[in-house]
Amino acid sequence: MYNKKKIINDPLYGFIGIPNEIVFDLISHPWIGRLRNIRQLGLTHFVYPGAVHTRFHHALGTLHLANLAIETLLSKGVAISMQEADGLRLALLLHDIGHSPYSHSLERILVKIPHETITGMAMKKLNSIFPGKLEIAQEIFHNTYPKKFLHQLVSGQLDLDRLDYLNRDSFYTGVSEGVVSFDRIIKMLNVQDGELVLEEKALYSLENFLISRRLMYWQVYLHKTVIASEQLMLKILKRAKHLIRKGNFLFSSPFLQEFLKRDIEEGEFLERPELFERFMDLDDSDIWSAIKAWTKDSDFILSTLSQSLIQRKLYHIELEDSPASHEKIEILKEKVRKAFIISEEDLDYFVFTGKTHHLAYNQSREDIFMLRKDHNPISFLEVSDFFSSTGIAVPVEKHYICYFRF
Amino acid sequence: MYNKKKIINDPLYGFIGIPNEIVFDLISHPWIGRLRNIRQLGLTHFVYPGAVHTRFHHALGTLHLANLAIETLLSKGVAISMQEADGLRLALLLHDIGHSPYSHSLERILVKIPHETITGMAMKKLNSIFPGKLEIAQEIFHNTYPKKFLHQLVSGQLDLDRLDYLNRDSFYTGVSEGVVSFDRIIKMLNVQDGELVLEEKALYSLENFLISRRLMYWQVYLHKTVIASEQLMLKILKRAKHLIRKGNFLFSSPFLQEFLKRDIEEGEFLERPELFERFMDLDDSDIWSAIKAWTKDSDFILSTLSQSLIQRKLYHIELEDSPASHEKIEILKEKVRKAFIISEEDLDYFVFTGKTHHLAYNQSREDIFMLRKDHNPISFLEVSDFFSSTGIAVPVEKHYICYFRF
Amino acid sequence: MYNKKKIINDPLYGFIGIPNEIVFDLISHPWIGRLRNIRQLGLTHFVYPGAVHTRFHHALGTLHLANLAIETLLSKGVAISMQEADGLRLALLLHDIGHSPYSHSLERILVKIPHETITGMAMKKLNSIFPGKLEIAQEIFHNTYPKKFLHQLVSGQLDLDRLDYLNRDSFYTGVSEGVVSFDRIIKMLNVQDGELVLEEKALYSLENFLISRRLMYWQVYLHKTVIASEQLMLKILKRAKHLIRKGNFLFSSPFLQEFLKRDIEEGEFLERPELFERFMDLDDSDIWSAIKAWTKDSDFILSTLSQSLIQRKLYHIELEDSPASHEKIEILKEKVRKAFIISEEDLDYFVFTGKTHHLAYNQSREDIFMLRKDHNPISFLEVSDFFSSTGIAVPVEKHYICYFRF
Amino acid sequence: MYNKKKIINDPLYGFIGIPNEIVFDLISHPWIGRLRNIRQLGLTHFVYPGAVHTRFHHALGTLHLANLAIETLLSKGVAISMQEADGLRLALLLHDIGHSPYSHSLERILVKIPHETITGMAMKKLNSIFPGKLEIAQEIFHNTYPKKFLHQLVSGQLDLDRLDYLNRDSFYTGVSEGVVSFDRIIKMLNVQDGELVLEEKALYSLENFLISRRLMYWQVYLHKTVIASEQLMLKILKRAKHLIRKGNFLFSSPFLQEFLKRDIEEGEFLERPELFERFMDLDDSDIWSAIKAWTKDSDFILSTLSQSLIQRKLYHIELEDSPASHEKIEILKEKVRKAFIISEEDLDYFVFTGKTHHLAYNQSREDIFMLRKDHNPISFLEVSDFFSSTGIAVPVEKHYICYFRF
């Protein structure tokens, strides 16, 4: 009989408890285990060396927060059955199971499908493997379950996913300002008319949460060196695909090979279950070991870019409020033309522009409601004397230009 | 020979180093030692039991931050002599030496003088005791020293006092959201044209600092139960003074007695050095032990209120955006009239109103300037895409009504 | 209706939950509230400025650990009724209620009674105030309750009291090595044949706990400057009693006066309930404000010693493995004789010796048993390959000599 | 001009400062960068999911401790030149550069050479690349530098390597008891007669350090599941080598291929610089992606074991004080014989025994000396009243048996 260990050490939360067998069995499943080799923040460790934590750890973290939230809501008289509690736990545990290697960095690159869709597929398959045990989890995940607040805990403006990743990413990057009082916020959760609400006295914690999130975006997730690293990896994969499709032989693991050969759209992915299986064998090591091998490839562009990444000689990047001028781009391209014999088309591997954006609070998507003493929920933006008239609900867009570091 | 210990353990910073003899001698002076028995946050421990840290500890904390700031600025080529460094250290170490027992709670109550004025007097006297050793410290404190940035580190929108107290108060209350990345902010300090500036990339840390400060105000410093406690202590002292001046005998330490007998204005305080000496003998224990004794006093109002405080049966308090209506006040007073035989004048001990306010960012007083890459300082409010148009520079006022808990 | 707040912030544990009304009511009782002004570690803050935390906070901490232990034991199938759970909580919450001001520093000084006896009296009285609600708590405290493990959680080699104070004292002193993995140890608790046992895999945590405790003793609790401070306070109180009993008038609060006038033995204390009431009015502020006043007393010895304490000019102290030689004592006394006109008897206020000791593990008192996989409990000392043959169960004694600092 | 960033965030220490260009340049060298993809604790994350930190981070950590130690020793008047300080920093930064993928797990497996030898080779080569800049670092590393204490800071009973890894591993595993007061220990370092000593008052910190280290060994480094994981990986590599040498084609990265083809002894490794280059291209991703591919290999043993590792279905392992009996081994082997058609020789892939040991304090190798007040160094074991007579200097040996989990 397999020993089902009940407690897992976590640097962030102390101990994470595994409440029962079905949760244990899913944690032990290879598809979750795969996340042990997918770093939560992709290449962010190039800037913050501590940021090597994995999606596996994040999944466990959301499980822990689910335990806390269930305890709080039950203590306030919110009706949650044992089955619903497990549904919530599993929906959170599995919510990132469909991620690519390097998480968001390679989103929609290896397959042209958002990770949530792949998560949905995985949950469906797991529901066959553990017959019927994931019914509620799936409904919660897809927001078809009647108790809407359960979905809101998985995916919303103030979900447990965000609470864990903000805390965890702050912790591992060492950016202490990103720390969020997850325990206080969870203790202030409640349900009103089936919707998740926050007690009014959590107002300042909520403001702090939004500001911390904004800080984490600009200081970590959209840090210019992180963008430069990700763009470099994307260009390398683009080149590798190009070469393979031209008929060149390139080293890669047999799993990765499949996804470089040609673009896989959602339709094909759904029809061919073996593609899903293959995808579920991929982790960071396939990508990284391939790029290392490509440093010795005979294609000049592939080997040059691969060496840049492996040796962390990343693109120069400038992040500005407005796009780079045509002149500036031209000057930089001219420099490349002088250094290399290169087609106009391939110049794009060495000089290119793009943009990124962040929206601290997406009111149109879903507002956060606060519970007043009179039990009337009210939009957060109406309560805060501070945020109401501000730019928090306005997206911020930044433009970047990347160019090769000679 | 007196052993001059060089390192002090601090739960917050690990170790605080004492750089030299003059700093050591001042830490050992009884006027600083007195702060060991003055709690940093007065009666806040009624709400947050951990908040029993002292002004002494805060003084040491600012010394530590002074050490860090000096190191950073020197490494950036800012000219600071050894004497100026000590001046800054001493100005910070001593900046709160003039506080009353219970810190801000009893500001201007025992003497009608702001604590900064008393600090100034103490520094002057210490400069005689340690001849000339506090010249620069005094000039920095009073902002008459030519290098203005030294004063700004002691007192400004982003001074080391604030950095320490926000961090320390967050730590001891357990309100983790108040934590500020003091080390990052200090490492981003610089001096431009003699003024303190912050490097532009500290923008998000600065926003976070301002939001954390705001949170600490509403969640801790102006917490309604804290206000109710302080008001109760003030009413007790008011009654005690009234009775003593009527000729009643009330128990108190001989030190405290002096300050209850009659109001002491700044003029008298300056003229009579023995009053200063007496004041410097006062700490929380004089106030608390007196109020405990007054629980047995024969004056009904004094004993009732004293019992309320000692037993933590505080006033009911309501904190609202607008003042309480005349009707509401009248109803509450009527209740008191029915319960006690009491004069109209004394009703004010049992039902009263007041207001409190907080200004997160006082631009008119002194702006925070950020240093751009082009070396042009620019106002923080012009850099932040987020705070510029908001209410951060607008004072928030709240009205309270307190009434006796029957 | 009184608002019964359910969550208390704690810097150490995050949040402490108050499970129900009776626990809330006892936390609100003035006898517990009194502990807000009794520092956990007496004068230790003279060495570790952070160590100003109170017995009140410690009491709440043990309540929190009780909640954790109950949860763990229930999850392992140990039978604990709701009433027993509350009994354990209350026994822990109240276990230190009988402490004097300055905790252990003044143990048996103001009354000739150990604090546990006074705690017992207080619990009995509280059981009348809250009729019958403390029956089980009392039995657990006095070890007359059949389920012996409940008492062991309150008082034993590995009780929740120790777990909290080691952690809390480490935290506030900043002596990080004293940190104990309280959560791991609690999760490894179990009950076998009615006795508390620890699962075998907690062996290394237990070893670490014992070593941390030993470190805390020598580095904090028995730090030589702490001993010197306490001895100074004891000498001051001895002198004050002497003078009062000679008929001198000395300032003190009316509460303290009672206990200086003459020695109170257990018999008298039990017979005169008003003495108990008086005692329960005492806290640190009575002692400290009195000693401050005594700095101006006309008795040379009292004022000299009081000034020494208030100004932290403590005795010189030497802590050695063997007692100071007669010659050394004589030389030091001679120095005092030359400086002061003083009787031979009173020399003892300025030069004296004593000893202190610590026993890391008291096997004879009560062993710690570990639970093997075969469910046979075995003594900790038999399991540890490391501690078994060592000196951990041997008391260590140190001798000190204190002498006045001229 | 390459931007030489001066501060690196570290979750453990806050900020790590890079003091100058040569240190920066070495941190940027690909051989150090390679450590970003070598996990500090190999497969330990199978037990402690947080333990995914890298050798790169550890290298930076030791650099930080070097900065602290230099500062402390200079402040005590120990003579250290700028060149020696950099020598110490570089020796620490580079001390693990010769590690294999999966660190200690694969020590002497891919090449038959201890990692320290490879580190020595790398330092020699780097000394050519940065001409002469690593002379002192090399001498310190090889203990040929006259100031012996510098080597002792790199490698000894109480070196900075140990201080960092104990702290870092505790932090990331979440095993809080392993935390060591590195800052206190470093502040207590001194040099006497050219040897590193510890001031006597650090005695309790040192005891705590040794106990924490012991705990980390048994609870983390030699955790039975960790041993089982490592043994599984070793068996897989053994099988892969066997198959390749038989002539089978197995997938692996070209870098890894080289080291599977045949055993490489120290002589060959030294003679063929291209082998060193190849080795320096290896990281965890080569091993992991190969083993993943081998889960589909046609060799039954290779694919079975590879699946076990990837799916974390590890060997059963029993860790005991004495070796498993011959009978027990035979029973387990019989079970395998019944399940698989397998040669006697290959049974060893499914059932095998081994042993592991730990020595908490290796007195014979190098004692720790403490500095008394009389400036005479004395062996730690003579000072400690506690450790002197104990088993701390006696090696502990444990025997394990691993068998396949059907």
Side-chain angles (χ1 to χ4, degrees), chain C residues 146-159:
Chain C
K147 294 186 179 176
K148 200 177 156 195
F149 72 89
L150 292 171
H151 176 76
Q152 289 165 329
L153 285 167
V154 176
S155 175
Q157 292 270 48
L158 191 66
D159 59 37

Side-chain angles (χ1 to χ4, degrees), chain D residues 21-44:
Chain D
E21 205 158 310
I22 179 67
V23 173
F24 182 88
D25 287 340
L26 277 158
I27 291 175
S28 309
H29 193 276
W31 294 347
I32 279 283
R34 161 187 180 262
L35 301 178
R36 291 178 188 271
N37 288 291
I38 296 185
R39 285 178 174 168
Q40 171 82 4
L41 294 181
L43 293 162
T44 306

Side-chain angles (χ1 to χ4, degrees), chain C residues 16-17 33 44 48 50 64 79 87 125 128 131 160 186 193 204 213 217 239 245 262 280 308 310 314 323 400:
Chain C
I16 294 175
T44 306
Y48 297 102
H64 179 70
K125 285 172 197 282
S128 310
L160 302 178
I186 289 177
D193 305 329
Y204 304 110
R213 186 159 169 266
Y217 266 85
R239 185 68 183 178
R245 291 167 198 189
R262 72 175 186 294
M280 280 305 183
S308 293
I310 298 302
L314 309 170
Y400 59 80

